[in-house]
Short mmCIF file of all heavy atoms in Angstrom, two decimals:
data_model
loop_
_atom_site.label_atom_id
_atom_site.label_comp_id
_atom_site.label_asym_id
_atom_site.label_seq_id
_atom_site.Cartn_x
_atom_site.Cartn_y
_atom_site.Cartn_z
N PRO A 140 -19.84 2.89 1.52
CA PRO A 140 -18.77 1.94 1.39
C PRO A 140 -17.88 2.00 2.60
O PRO A 140 -17.62 2.97 3.24
CB PRO A 140 -17.98 2.27 0.12
CG PRO A 140 -18.91 3.17 -0.64
CD PRO A 140 -19.69 3.92 0.25
N VAL A 141 -17.18 0.84 2.80
CA VAL A 141 -16.00 0.72 3.79
C VAL A 141 -14.81 0.80 2.94
O VAL A 141 -14.68 -0.01 1.97
CB VAL A 141 -16.12 -0.58 4.66
CG1 VAL A 141 -14.88 -0.72 5.52
CG2 VAL A 141 -17.47 -0.61 5.51
N TYR A 142 -13.97 1.71 3.26
CA TYR A 142 -12.77 1.92 2.50
C TYR A 142 -11.44 1.35 3.22
O TYR A 142 -11.48 1.35 4.52
CB TYR A 142 -12.47 3.45 2.23
CG TYR A 142 -13.37 4.01 1.23
CD1 TYR A 142 -14.72 4.23 1.45
CD2 TYR A 142 -12.93 4.41 0.06
CE1 TYR A 142 -15.63 4.78 0.55
CE2 TYR A 142 -13.75 4.94 -1.05
CZ TYR A 142 -15.08 5.09 -0.72
OH TYR A 142 -15.87 5.72 -1.59
N VAL A 143 -10.60 0.79 2.48
CA VAL A 143 -9.39 0.39 2.87
C VAL A 143 -8.23 0.89 1.95
O VAL A 143 -8.55 1.27 0.86
CB VAL A 143 -9.18 -1.10 3.09
CG1 VAL A 143 -10.20 -1.66 4.06
CG2 VAL A 143 -9.35 -1.86 1.76
N GLY A 144 -7.03 0.95 2.47
CA GLY A 144 -5.91 1.31 1.50
C GLY A 144 -4.83 2.14 2.16
O GLY A 144 -4.78 2.42 3.28
N SER A 145 -3.99 2.56 1.21
CA SER A 145 -2.75 3.33 1.62
C SER A 145 -2.28 3.99 0.36
O SER A 145 -2.93 4.70 -0.37
CB SER A 145 -1.83 2.34 2.47
OG SER A 145 -0.79 3.15 3.05
N HIS A 146 -0.91 3.66 0.03
CA HIS A 146 -0.28 4.44 -1.13
C HIS A 146 0.71 3.53 -1.72
O HIS A 146 1.30 2.62 -1.16
CB HIS A 146 0.43 5.74 -0.62
CG HIS A 146 1.46 5.59 0.36
ND1 HIS A 146 2.83 5.48 -0.08
CD2 HIS A 146 1.38 5.36 1.67
CE1 HIS A 146 3.58 5.27 1.12
NE2 HIS A 146 2.77 5.17 2.10
N LEU A 147 0.96 3.78 -3.11
CA LEU A 147 1.89 2.92 -3.81
C LEU A 147 3.18 3.71 -4.14
O LEU A 147 4.17 3.21 -4.62
CB LEU A 147 1.29 2.57 -5.19
CG LEU A 147 0.12 1.51 -5.12
CD1 LEU A 147 -0.44 1.25 -6.52
CD2 LEU A 147 0.63 0.18 -4.45
N ASP A 148 3.19 5.12 -3.88
CA ASP A 148 4.37 5.85 -4.11
C ASP A 148 5.40 5.55 -3.09
O ASP A 148 5.08 5.12 -1.85
CB ASP A 148 4.15 7.27 -4.25
CG ASP A 148 3.60 7.93 -2.95
OD1 ASP A 148 2.75 7.43 -2.24
OD2 ASP A 148 4.18 9.00 -2.55
N THR A 149 6.68 5.79 -3.36
CA THR A 149 7.81 5.38 -2.36
C THR A 149 8.72 6.58 -2.28
O THR A 149 8.69 7.40 -2.99
CB THR A 149 8.58 4.27 -2.83
OG1 THR A 149 9.50 4.56 -3.95
CG2 THR A 149 7.71 3.14 -3.32
N GLN A 150 9.53 6.54 -1.27
CA GLN A 150 10.74 7.43 -1.20
C GLN A 150 11.69 7.10 -2.29
O GLN A 150 11.70 6.16 -2.90
CB GLN A 150 11.44 7.23 0.22
CG GLN A 150 10.70 7.59 1.40
CD GLN A 150 10.56 9.09 1.68
OE1 GLN A 150 11.59 9.82 1.29
NE2 GLN A 150 9.54 9.62 2.13
N PRO A 151 12.58 8.00 -2.55
CA PRO A 151 13.72 7.84 -3.58
C PRO A 151 14.53 6.51 -3.27
O PRO A 151 14.92 5.77 -4.17
CB PRO A 151 14.57 9.02 -3.48
CG PRO A 151 13.75 10.10 -3.01
CD PRO A 151 12.76 9.38 -1.98
N THR A 152 14.71 6.25 -2.05
CA THR A 152 15.41 5.02 -1.58
C THR A 152 14.40 4.26 -0.65
O THR A 152 14.73 4.27 0.52
CB THR A 152 16.68 5.33 -0.84
OG1 THR A 152 16.58 6.23 0.13
CG2 THR A 152 17.79 5.90 -1.93
N GLY A 153 13.28 3.88 -1.15
CA GLY A 153 12.21 3.45 -0.26
C GLY A 153 12.22 1.92 -0.32
O GLY A 153 13.00 1.20 -1.00
N GLY A 154 11.45 1.35 0.60
CA GLY A 154 11.32 -0.09 0.67
C GLY A 154 10.09 -0.63 -0.08
O GLY A 154 9.41 0.20 -0.69
N LYS A 155 9.84 -1.98 0.04
CA LYS A 155 8.92 -2.62 -0.81
C LYS A 155 7.53 -2.62 -0.06
O LYS A 155 6.63 -3.14 -0.69
CB LYS A 155 9.46 -4.13 -1.11
CG LYS A 155 10.61 -4.18 -1.98
CD LYS A 155 10.95 -5.50 -2.47
CE LYS A 155 11.49 -6.43 -1.19
NZ LYS A 155 12.84 -6.07 -0.74
N TYR A 156 7.50 -2.18 1.21
CA TYR A 156 6.17 -2.51 2.00
C TYR A 156 5.59 -1.17 2.39
O TYR A 156 4.39 -1.22 2.74
CB TYR A 156 6.72 -3.32 3.09
CG TYR A 156 7.45 -4.53 2.76
CD1 TYR A 156 8.85 -4.57 2.90
CD2 TYR A 156 6.86 -5.65 2.19
CE1 TYR A 156 9.60 -5.66 2.52
CE2 TYR A 156 7.63 -6.75 1.78
CZ TYR A 156 8.92 -6.74 1.93
OH TYR A 156 9.88 -7.79 1.59
N ASP A 157 6.30 -0.19 2.70
CA ASP A 157 5.68 1.13 3.05
C ASP A 157 4.64 1.68 2.18
O ASP A 157 4.85 1.95 1.07
CB ASP A 157 6.94 2.11 3.18
CG ASP A 157 6.46 3.56 3.62
OD1 ASP A 157 5.16 3.74 3.92
OD2 ASP A 157 7.25 4.41 3.67
N GLY A 158 3.40 1.56 2.78
CA GLY A 158 2.24 1.99 1.89
C GLY A 158 1.65 0.82 1.07
O GLY A 158 0.51 0.67 0.97
N VAL A 159 2.64 0.16 0.42
CA VAL A 159 2.29 -0.80 -0.56
C VAL A 159 1.43 -1.94 0.05
O VAL A 159 0.53 -2.48 -0.47
CB VAL A 159 3.42 -1.36 -1.36
CG1 VAL A 159 3.12 -2.46 -2.52
CG2 VAL A 159 4.23 -0.24 -1.98
N LEU A 160 1.95 -2.40 1.30
CA LEU A 160 1.30 -3.42 2.00
C LEU A 160 -0.17 -3.06 2.19
O LEU A 160 -1.02 -3.92 2.12
CB LEU A 160 1.94 -3.72 3.35
CG LEU A 160 1.27 -4.79 4.18
CD1 LEU A 160 1.24 -6.10 3.52
CD2 LEU A 160 1.94 -4.80 5.64
N GLY A 161 -0.56 -1.86 2.61
CA GLY A 161 -1.85 -1.39 2.74
C GLY A 161 -2.65 -1.46 1.55
O GLY A 161 -3.93 -1.89 1.68
N VAL A 162 -2.13 -1.10 0.38
CA VAL A 162 -2.87 -1.16 -0.86
C VAL A 162 -3.09 -2.70 -1.30
O VAL A 162 -4.32 -3.10 -1.64
CB VAL A 162 -2.25 -0.32 -1.95
CG1 VAL A 162 -3.00 -0.48 -3.16
CG2 VAL A 162 -2.01 1.17 -1.54
N LEU A 163 -2.06 -3.37 -1.34
CA LEU A 163 -2.27 -4.73 -1.82
C LEU A 163 -2.77 -5.67 -0.70
O LEU A 163 -3.38 -6.71 -1.12
CB LEU A 163 -0.84 -5.20 -2.23
CG LEU A 163 -0.22 -4.37 -3.42
CD1 LEU A 163 0.99 -5.22 -3.91
CD2 LEU A 163 -1.22 -4.28 -4.51
N GLY A 164 -2.73 -5.41 0.48
CA GLY A 164 -3.48 -6.02 1.51
C GLY A 164 -4.90 -5.81 1.35
O GLY A 164 -5.70 -6.78 1.49
N GLY A 165 -5.36 -4.62 1.03
CA GLY A 165 -6.74 -4.33 0.70
C GLY A 165 -7.22 -5.19 -0.52
O GLY A 165 -8.27 -5.80 -0.51
N LEU A 166 -6.27 -5.26 -1.63
CA LEU A 166 -6.65 -6.01 -2.69
C LEU A 166 -6.79 -7.55 -2.44
O LEU A 166 -7.77 -8.30 -2.87
CB LEU A 166 -5.57 -5.89 -3.86
CG LEU A 166 -5.71 -6.80 -4.94
CD1 LEU A 166 -7.05 -6.57 -5.79
CD2 LEU A 166 -4.48 -6.62 -6.05
N GLU A 167 -5.98 -8.05 -1.56
CA GLU A 167 -6.06 -9.39 -1.09
C GLU A 167 -7.46 -9.65 -0.26
O GLU A 167 -8.01 -10.80 -0.47
CB GLU A 167 -4.90 -9.77 -0.19
CG GLU A 167 -4.96 -11.15 0.48
CD GLU A 167 -5.09 -12.27 -0.63
OE1 GLU A 167 -4.51 -12.05 -1.78
OE2 GLU A 167 -5.59 -13.33 -0.39
N LEU A 168 -7.88 -8.71 0.33
CA LEU A 168 -9.21 -8.81 1.13
C LEU A 168 -10.33 -9.14 -0.01
O LEU A 168 -11.12 -10.05 0.27
CB LEU A 168 -9.59 -7.47 1.66
CG LEU A 168 -9.37 -7.38 3.30
CD1 LEU A 168 -7.87 -7.49 3.55
CD2 LEU A 168 -9.85 -6.11 3.77
#
């Protein structure tokens, strides 16, 4: 397989995109 992805966990005061964009961008693919 070709893998894509990142992470869904955040910092205690994290943003909405760090890591999440990579996971959901992969889902959008």
Side-chain angles (χ1 to χ4, degrees):
V141 175
Y142 285 71
V143 297
S145 192
H146 61 97
L147 293 174
D148 69 313
T149 76
Q150 292 284 325
T152 53
K155 298 188 289 287
Y156 312 99
D157 174 6
V159 186
L160 176 63
V162 178
L163 300 188
L166 172 62
E167 177 56 32
L168 263 61

